[in-house]
Amino acid sequence: MLQLGGAMPGKLLAADPGYRGPRVPCGQGHEAEFTACRDKVIDTVLGPVTLTRAWYHCAACGHGLAPRDAELGVAGASMSPGLAAMTDLAAAAGPFAKAAVLLGEIGGVRLTAKRVERAAEASGGAVAEAVRERSAAIASRKVVPMPPSPRPDKLYGVIDGTGVPMTARETAGRQGKGEDGRARTREVKLAVFFTQDELDKDGHPVRDRDSTSVIATFEPASKFADLVKAEGIRRGADHVRQFTILGDGAPWICYPDAGIADLIPVTRLSRRSPAWPVARPVSVMGAGIVRGCRGSR
């Protein structure tokens, strides 16, 4: 059945080989000329499909392109968008080897663990780059998000970092905390944004349903700070009455030269201690922001 199904997309796609005239823009300000039609094998959820498409070559840039590839979402890729999405979901659920087995058992798709790894990393890299570009545009005010509706009274952001176990290849050259000096983890920086405008019957704040958004990155604090700023703006920091950021006192959170500045040190922060965070409003994103930071552990 899969072989029969896989033959159908090939016939349908063959109806348009992607010939767009003798010349097409190359994407770098030049024109690429049509040379011939070339075949490309694409893995899909129905099996391999051979795509015949018009190929253009740019003499100025020295590279070629097939407009049909971009139209179908397979430029520079050998998986269809549908199979790539399935692979990403499977890879996110566990190790790549298990993901490959899962794809075979559920979808009848046979991929090696290495193929799953490469596909997932490519998708993750593309998403991360898109997030960085969007965050940079928001942080620089080139893109202005619409204010949230309904508008919350307060917005909260919680910042922390934690170690994620990694393979030896990923930690090579990094200093660890163990006696042998080897690093076995990498720090992922996390930020969670949410609102909580109501109280339960005991008077405790209740997080608003579906109000949580999360940032996670291995990038340095300065880059992470840009992501936090952009997400704060996107979530409405410019429009709420109070924006509160909570951190645990780590240097990269508290100190200005680490990228996230103007936190107020607090000696202790615990339910058993009467010393709760001392905070004052500051203006960082154009909104009233309260930042609390524990100065000692």
Side-chain angles (χ1 to χ4, degrees):
M1 290 298 293
L2 284 175
Q3 291 179 350
L4 178 62
M8 295 177 63
K11 295 179 180 179
L12 293 173
L13 294 172
D16 180 9
Y19 179 75
R20 300 296 179 259
R23 295 177 181 83
V24 298
C26 75
Q28 301 296 326
H30 312 125
E31 286 192 336
E33 294 187 356
F34 172 74
T35 59
C37 285
R38 296 185 180 182
D39 289 345
K40 177 178 181 176
V41 178
I42 304 170
D43 287 318
T44 75
V45 294
L46 295 176
V49 171
T50 300
L51 174 66
T52 300
R53 71 270 198 269
W55 186 260
Y56 293 79
H57 182 263
C58 177
C61 296
H63 77 277
L65 71 151
R68 192 63 169 145
D69 287 359
E71 295 167 0
L72 295 174
V74 294
S78 58
M79 282 188 187
S80 68
L83 179 57
M86 285 179 56
T87 303
D88 293 343
L89 289 173
F96 298 127
K98 291 185 178 180
V101 173
L102 182 63
L103 287 169
E105 292 178 345
I106 295 178
V109 179
R110 305 299 175 186
L111 299 176
T112 65
K114 196 63 180 179
R115 183 85 184 279
V116 172
E117 178 183 359
R118 287 197 299 264
E121 289 182 348
S123 296
V127 170
E129 181 60 28
V131 169
R132 282 192 291 267
E133 291 179 358
R134 183 193 65 180
S135 298
I138 293 175
S140 63
R141 306 291 179 167
K142 293 179 180 178
V143 172
V144 180
M146 294 293 291
S149 180
R151 187 176 303 175
D153 180 55
K154 298 177 182 179
L155 175 66
Y156 296 86
V158 181
I159 300 175
D160 203 354
T162 187
V164 178
M166 308 292 287
T167 63
R169 183 185 66 180
E170 297 293 337
T171 59
R174 296 179 179 273
Q175 184 65 33
K177 297 179 180 179
E179 294 182 358
D180 60 1
R182 289 178 52 199
R184 292 173 175 80
T185 64
R186 285 186 62 186
E187 184 180 53
V188 58
K189 294 175 175 59
L190 303 163
V192 179
F193 290 80
F194 59 91
T195 61
Q196 47 186 37
D197 290 334
E198 298 182 359
L199 304 177
D200 63 15
K201 62 180 181 179
D202 298 320
H204 300 144
V206 178
R207 183 177 300 192
D208 298 329
R209 183 182 296 273
D210 299 327
S211 73
T212 302
S213 60
V214 179
I215 298 171
T217 182
F218 286 114
E219 294 194 87
S222 59
K223 300 291 185 181
F224 177 69
D226 293 338
L227 298 176
V228 170
K229 178 179 179 180
E231 183 64 7
I233 295 172
R234 190 189 72 82
R235 292 298 305 271
D238 292 332
H239 306 282
V240 299
R241 180 176 63 84
Q242 179 175 288
F243 178 23
T244 303
I245 293 182
L246 304 175
D248 68 355
W252 61 271
I253 296 176
C254 284
Y255 302 132
D257 59 356
I260 302 175
D262 217 356
L263 297 176
I264 298 101
V266 178
T267 303
R268 291 175 295 173
L269 175 58
S270 69
R271 286 189 178 276
R272 297 186 300 273
S273 170
W276 290 93
V278 177
R280 59 180 174 82
V282 297
S283 181
V284 175
M285 302 179 195
I289 301 175
V290 175
R291 296 186 168 191
C293 181
R294 186 175 62 188
S296 60
R297 304 183 181 217

